[in-house]
Amino acid sequence: MIQRRKLLKTGAAVALAAPVLNSQAQQTVTLKFHTFMAPMSNVWLNMHKAWMNKVEKDSGGRIKFEAYPAMQLGGTPVQLYDQVRDGVVDVVWTLPGSTAGRFPRVEVFELPFMMTNAEATSKAYWEYIQTMAADEFKDTQVIALQVHGPGVIHTTDKPVKNTADMKGLKVRAPTRQITKLLGTLGAIPVGMPLPGIPDALSKGTINGAVVPWEVVPSVKVNELTKYHAEFDPAGGSLYTTTFVMAMNKAKYNALPADLKKVIDDNSGIETSGWLGKVQQEGDVAGRKSASDRNNTIFTISAEEAQDFRRKSRSLEIEWIEDMNKRGFDGRKLIDTARALIEKHTKAQETSAKKPAKKA
């Protein structure tokens, strides 16, 4: 009799728990994704939408996204990180450098002639944050960290072929370090978010902008400028910009374990490298959008790039001193970033040389 009562109690407990367990197993979540990128941009279509689609598929449809490009939920690009930190939205993709000096250790990747290619540098960026600056984005759940392809100089009325041609040009800059870079080259830097470029160019507020080829069509730089100065890869890349894709920490922590795993499986070093790779692949179409309009594209040679390097060398010294004042070892940070970029670049080159596996 006692044994029968125990069985009945156990059965009742299981029956009561079953709906709860079943509810957890079937829980669905809707996440609001917010960014400043235009809805027809390469970044939005081939990176953000592709990532969201994969997460939805991997979750069996239990994670769904409400997608909001072009700041459709309000605010300014500068406010995106705080929006996700505060839970106004659930996931964002934004520039840490939009808020000058707030994420200082990230800036190492924006220093002149640091980057190699976007995939390798993005992987280096991820590893660097995990090992050297884990608290930089402590207020959010970081999904990916990446950079774009080599920066290009675009101008309205005057071609840039050397550093002397930069003198006096009013040029849009995206972040603190790139603003400093333009200043050392003799330009007059004008800081503004990406969406402000078309209006500023059309009104003559600026004479040019620095953006990668990939983003050119989405902000009509191919239509509003006539001249484009790119750098021969042999001479290095003038600059790049860092990005972060982050999720609200409380929202992430509230996910059931299996949905957390879906987010985790679509986060990290490989996702970072993939985002960088896809963004740089968009450079081909962006460049074509300018050449199709018969704009003038000038390639700055490796030899001429040396003058750009010389004139911008002071930025590295200033950055190291700034980090030291903040209590970080600036030299160690920059040496680590360079070593990681070299490591991932070599790994990428080795992988590219491997013969394809036979089916």
Side-chain angles (χ1 to χ4, degrees), residues 34-261:
H34 201 207
T35 190
F36 61 87
M37 291 303 300
M40 296 309 295
S41 65
N42 168 66
V43 169
W44 179 253
L45 295 174
N46 298 324
M47 293 164 56
H48 300 161
K49 290 288 284 183
W51 181 82
M52 285 185 271
N53 289 341
K54 187 172 185 302
V55 170
E56 288 184 346
K57 182 180 177 182
D58 290 355
S59 71
R62 289 174 52 219
I63 295 178
K64 298 183 184 301
F65 286 94
E66 291 180 3
Y68 298 98
M71 300 305 299
Q72 290 174 358
L73 290 178
T76 66
V78 173
Q79 296 170 326
L80 278 167
Y81 189 82
D82 286 339
Q83 286 184 353
V84 78
R85 181 198 65 187
D86 298 340
V88 177
V89 299
D90 302 311
V91 183
V92 299
W93 184 87
T94 188
L95 288 77
S98 289
T99 48
R102 182 174 178 180
F103 306 98
R105 285 168 287 177
V106 169
E107 293 177 336
V108 67
F109 293 95
E110 297 182 352
L111 293 173
F113 299 98
M114 276 291 289
M115 81 159 312
T116 51
N117 64 73
E119 182 179 2
T121 306
S122 295
K123 288 183 175 181
Y125 175 18
W126 177 270
E127 187 173 346
Y128 168 91
I129 290 296
Q130 310 315 306
T131 57
M132 303 300 293
D135 60 337
E136 199 87 325
F137 300 110
K138 65 182 183 298
D139 296 326
T140 61
Q141 178 68 27
V142 176
I143 290 168
L145 301 163
Q146 56 139 144
V147 300
H148 64 54
V152 181
I153 303 167
H154 313 271
T155 49
T156 53
D157 302 310
K158 177 184 175 183
V160 171
K161 297 182 179 181
N162 49 51
T163 55
D165 292 333
M166 294 290 292
K167 188 173 182 181
L169 288 176
K170 291 179 288 183
V171 183
R172 174 265 179 180
T175 66
R176 182 173 78 133
Q177 289 305 320
I178 299 161
T179 295
K180 288 183 177 182
L181 167 62
L182 292 172
T184 64
L185 296 176
I188 302 168
V190 181
M192 71 175 65
L194 187 73
I197 291 176
D199 186 60
L201 283 172
S202 61
K203 290 180 178 177
T205 306
I206 55 175
N207 309 121
V210 287
V211 294
W213 279 119
E214 170 273 326
V215 82
V216 160
S218 66
V219 284
K220 299 183 178 181
V221 168
N222 55 326
E223 301 173 30
L224 297 169
T225 64
K226 299 175 184 176
Y227 304 100
H228 313 271
E230 60 185 6
F231 285 70
D232 185 330
S237 303
L238 178 64
Y239 82 95
T240 191
T241 301
T242 58
F243 301 96
V244 56
M245 185 189 288
M247 183 173 177
N248 176 263
K249 193 176 280 290
K251 192 78 171 185
Y252 171 81
N253 289 333
L255 292 175
D258 59 337
L259 294 189
K260 265 186 191 174
K261 186 176 186 304

